[in-house]
Amino acid sequence: MPKIGLISLGCAKNLVDSEHMLALLRAAGWEVAEDMAEADVGVVNTCGFIEAAKTEAIETILETAQYKQSGKMKGLVVTGCLVQRYAEEMRAELPEIDAICGTGSYESIVDAANAALGGHKAAYLADMASAALEGGRDRLTPPYTAYFKIAEGCSNRCGYCIIPKLRGPYRSRGMDALLAEAQALADAGVKELIVIAQDITKYGMDLPGHQRLLPELLRRLCEMDFHWVRLHYLYPDQITDELVEVIASEPKIVKYLDIPLQHVSKRILRAMHRPGDGEEFAALLQSLRDRIPGLVLRTSLIVGLPGETEDEFAALCAFLQDVQIERVGVFEFSPEEGTEAAELPDQIDAAVKANRRLIVEELQSGVLDDYNTSRHGEVMEVLCEGFDEEQQLWYGRTYADSVEVDGHVYFEAEDAPVAGGFIPVRITDSLGPDLLGVRQKGE
């Protein structure tokens, strides 16, 4: 039985694609190698979103290819967004690669792996919009947490973003198929279901009837045996009263919303082809906090878009100080070829962009410190994820901490808790982005 090794880079949506590919390979008789050195064929599922992701992908491809000399590897398959973006260049400049699959061709992964195993060169580059939306999964997450991709692609056409050219237009999955998959995940013991898409708020609007189906989907998910239902991402101009009411009223939906704002300057936002401005965003976030008690917010921001003035950057900083968003990811503008923003005049110097990012990160660290301090003395429900040997403490996440992007709670416990269990922890202190605490006795 041949062995396959897989490395998945980039976002959670890419991870789900990797899970689908592993399921297809296992069904075709491939065994999954725990160590890439033991793999007969290696697969690297790439991200090609921004320059840093492209660099990481190329480095990973070259590192994996070395197993052809140092291990038993006979072939290398590369899939994902970088392939979709640079297929011809990769075939010409990276002879280490034996087979490639674009984002519309994940179902060809078995053929690609067989070709690579046989020492053949192959390319599978079907139309992005033809990508299968359904299929089995060999999950790569812990048994208690699963990503739940409800749509593929994006039709927003933001001026700085290449995703529509990598993933195709927005395509919602059918409700029946989603509910069947969700029930299977619940039956398998998943306790934290993370609903993902490039924009989950548009779910259903491309289906017959053009209805916003996310509220209905969430109600149905909350009828299943999940403990937490977490939402990523909600676009600010697509949040309806009905959706807010569902989020507020369903106890299983964690009161943590990731709402990408990107900026607050109306001029900058229009250059990005995005709606809203700082005043509208402030009103929206205040309304959400008023209607959803305990709400914790996350957003993503871009600094250094071409033409961003000092005054516009200062307005962004003032907004963050005023609104006090608990979680913020800030990124320097990356001029990606094929995007409108890459061709704009008044490109900003890299050092200026880096300095602006550092200013926002420093400002935001104070907001996070204040938030963490506000939790001291509180008993919070923590999803236990394991034991940290270095810290000699158990660790996990609260509802306010999403996977990988936020902090952890490190806590003492007299009796060993079960990974995947929900533990009451009294918060006693904080350290950087993390909280410290003690498991409540008798609970």
Side-chain angles (χ1 to χ4, degrees):
M1 181 181 292
K3 290 186 177 182
I4 198 83
L6 184 141
I7 297 172
S8 190
L9 303 175
C11 67
K13 297 177 287 295
N14 219 36
L15 183 68
V16 173
D17 294 333
S18 295
E19 293 173 342
H20 284 306
M21 287 190 285
L22 280 181
L24 290 169
L25 287 160
R26 196 184 290 275
W30 286 77
E31 181 182 347
V32 178
E34 296 296 327
D35 186 336
M36 189 64 82
E38 297 300 316
D40 296 294
V41 172
V43 178
V44 179
N45 191 17
T46 62
C47 175
F49 180 40
I50 57 176
E51 192 62 36
K54 291 186 286 185
T55 299
E56 180 188 24
I58 296 298
E59 290 175 350
T60 303
I61 291 167
L62 295 175
E63 289 170 2
T64 305
Q66 292 177 6
Y67 288 107
K68 289 185 177 181
Q69 283 74 47
S70 64
K72 59 182 288 191
M73 188 178 291
K74 300 178 180 64
L76 175 60
V77 180
V78 178
T79 67
C81 291
L82 194 70
V83 171
Q84 192 66 40
R85 190 170 183 183
Y86 296 113
E88 294 306 316
E89 293 89 339
M90 293 176 73
R91 295 172 76 183
E93 299 174 19
L94 292 169
E96 297 88 348
I97 299 172
D98 297 293
I100 58 174
C101 291
T103 58
S105 302
Y106 290 124
E107 286 197 309
S108 298
I109 187 61
V110 174
D111 291 339
N114 287 334
L117 184 64
H120 305 299
K121 298 290 186 180
Y124 303 88
L125 299 166
D127 182 359
M128 292 178 290
S130 68
L133 299 181
E134 313 301 338
R137 295 166 60 183
D138 194 347
R139 285 198 293 117
L140 296 168
T141 52
Y144 48 82
T145 293
Y147 292 106
F148 186 58
K149 185 159 67 169
I150 65 173
E152 180 58 273
C154 185
S155 299
N156 286 337
R157 304 288 175 180
C158 298
Y160 55 85
C161 184
I162 197 69
I163 286 176
K165 295 183 179 180
L166 304 181
R167 291 283 184 170
Y170 193 90
R171 285 113 56 212
S172 299
R173 296 176 58 194
M175 179 76 77
D176 289 345
L178 284 175
L179 294 175
E181 179 179 337
Q183 188 60 62
L185 291 170
D187 292 344
V190 170
K191 294 303 178 186
E192 180 185 34
L193 190 74
I194 307 174
V195 182
I196 59 170
Q198 199 61 36
D199 176 1
I200 66 172
T201 44
K202 284 195 171 76
Y203 173 66
M205 293 186 69
D206 60 308
L207 297 176
H210 305 289
Q211 295 178 303
R212 296 182 186 274
L213 297 177
L214 183 60
E216 178 185 349
L217 175 63
L218 295 180
R219 290 189 188 99
R220 300 287 296 276
L221 294 177
C222 289
E223 294 172 358
M224 301 180 187
D225 190 24
F226 301 115
H227 193 83
W228 284 350
V229 176
R230 190 179 294 276
L231 310 181
H232 289 259
Y233 307 91
L234 298 90
Y235 275 52
D237 61 320
Q238 302 293 325
I239 298 174
T240 64
D241 284 342
E242 181 187 14
L243 178 58
V244 175
E245 175 58 31
V246 172
I247 294 169
S249 62
E250 291 286 358
K252 291 183 179 181
I253 299 178
V254 296
K255 308 319 182 220
Y256 170 110
L257 301 180
D258 192 326
I259 305 173
L261 300 179
Q262 308 303 1
H263 212 281
V264 298
S265 161
K266 187 171 185 177
R267 189 189 69 82
I268 291 289
L269 286 163
R270 295 306 174 272
M272 293 177 171
H273 298 309
R274 293 180 67 93
D277 57 36
E279 185 175 345
E280 291 181 23
F281 294 158
L284 169 66
L285 300 185
Q286 186 58 54
S287 174
L288 291 173
R289 283 170 165 157
D290 290 343
R291 298 177 63 182
I292 307 173
L295 179 64
V296 168
L297 293 165
R298 166 169 277 280
T299 195
S300 54
L301 302 171
I302 296 174
V303 296
L305 196 85
E308 181 189 50
T309 66
E310 290 290 347
D311 286 346
E312 287 168 329
F313 175 68
L316 177 62
C317 293
F319 174 87
L320 291 173
Q321 289 178 310
D322 291 341
V323 177
Q324 299 280 294
I325 298 172
E326 290 85 357
R327 316 293 200 197
V328 172
V330 57
F331 303 91
E332 299 168 33
F333 168 70
S334 178
E336 296 301 315
E337 61 178 311
T339 64
E340 184 177 317
E343 305 301 323
L344 289 175
D346 302 320
Q347 296 281 329
I348 292 176
D349 182 77
V352 173
K353 290 190 289 188
N355 186 57
R356 290 180 181 179
R357 173 181 55 80
L358 291 172
I359 290 171
V360 172
E361 288 177 346
E362 181 65 23
L363 184 158
Q364 189 58 31
S365 69
V367 176
L368 180 57
D369 287 345
D370 290 343
Y371 165 75
N372 281 344
T373 300
S374 75
R375 294 294 195 177
H376 293 179
E378 185 175 346
V379 175
M380 300 190 74
E381 183 180 59
V382 173
L383 171 57
C384 181
E385 295 181 299
F387 186 77
D388 188 299
E389 294 289 348
E390 182 177 347
Q391 301 288 340
Q392 288 293 297
L393 293 170
W394 298 91
Y395 67 94
R397 293 179 289 110
T398 72
Y399 80 93
D401 308 299
S402 196
V403 180
E404 294 188 349
V405 295
D406 299 317
H408 287 87
V409 177
Y410 291 89
F411 62 95
E412 300 174 8
E414 291 184 0
D415 300 318
V418 177
F422 290 86
I423 311 299
V425 175
R426 182 172 296 280
I427 306 302
T428 58
D429 205 346
S430 47
L431 181 64
D434 302 316
L435 294 171
L436 305 176
V438 178
R439 180 177 182 171
Q440 288 297 95
K441 294 181 180 180
E443 298 186 62

